[in-house]
Amino acid sequence: MLEYLYQVFDVNVEKKCDLMLNWDEVQKLSSIGVTFGAHTLNHPILGNLSEDEATNEIYGSKVLIEERTNKKVRHFAYPNGRICDINEFCVSQARKHFDTATTTTPGINQPGDDLMRLKRIGLAYDYNIIDFKVKVLYFCILESIRRFMR
């Protein structure tokens, strides 16, 4: 998969490279329309930090990416993204600085859901379109059952 992406984006990398993008790669992707969101500076469990530390991690990552790409960062993903890793202060900081924030809570978002606690459908690198469709269908059926039970 990585080899394919390297070809598509015309990126030359050594085989023993870090799997993280470097700033040159981020800037190149940004220049062709890829949108980057923030994910903290050091990937901590935000709920374990002081308010000052959490603010620095959340807002600092936004500022850094904006400085490097010259584009507004509107979206945030909580590190680990589990509900137990996020507290109300972290959500309030995300709300203050971003338009949306994602958790790792599995599911499909509905109109009216909290934009700072968005669910998502996780996919492995080797999933194909059939796997994706099955997973989406599963969550659609699950949500229909939940609505029916209310």
Side-chain angles (χ1 to χ4, degrees), residues 10-146:
D10 192 28
V11 175
N12 294 320
V13 294
E14 296 178 23
K15 295 296 179 193
K16 294 180 181 180
C17 71
D18 187 351
L19 294 179
M20 306 294 280
L21 294 174
N22 64 43
W23 286 113
D24 288 337
E25 293 165 331
V26 169
Q27 289 166 342
K28 183 172 185 176
L29 291 170
S30 179
S31 74
I32 62 170
V34 174
T35 300
F36 286 89
H39 191 57
T40 68
L41 294 168
N42 300 296
H43 205 270
I45 304 299
L46 290 170
N48 294 342
L49 302 179
S50 71
E51 290 184 357
D52 285 345
E53 291 170 322
T55 299
N56 183 56
E57 288 287 337
I58 294 167
Y59 183 64
S61 64
K62 174 184 173 67
V63 169
L64 179 61
I65 296 167
E66 289 177 346
E67 287 174 353
R68 296 292 183 123
T69 63
N70 292 316
K71 293 189 179 168
K72 184 175 180 184
V73 174
R74 300 176 47 225
H75 311 288
F76 183 75
Y78 300 103
N80 288 14
R82 298 175 307 174
I83 297 303
C84 64
D85 296 329
I86 305 162
N87 59 31
E88 288 305 313
F89 180 79
C90 298
V91 173
S92 72
Q93 287 301 296
R95 194 176 312 282
K96 183 176 175 182
H97 300 292
F98 300 95
D99 296 338
T100 65
T102 58
T103 67
T104 55
T105 302
I108 294 176
N109 298 292
Q110 301 294 320
D113 283 354
D114 186 352
L115 295 178
M116 295 301 125
R117 291 184 175 92
L118 293 174
K119 296 172 251 173
R120 58 180 156 176
I121 298 173
L123 298 173
Y125 72 93
D126 59 347
Y127 274 26
N128 60 41
I129 192 66
I130 302 298
D131 296 324
F132 177 70
K133 288 179 179 180
V134 167
K135 214 164 185 184
V136 170
L137 181 59
Y138 166 78
F139 285 112
C140 287
I141 292 169
L142 194 60
E143 186 60 32
S144 294
I145 292 169
R146 285 186 187 137

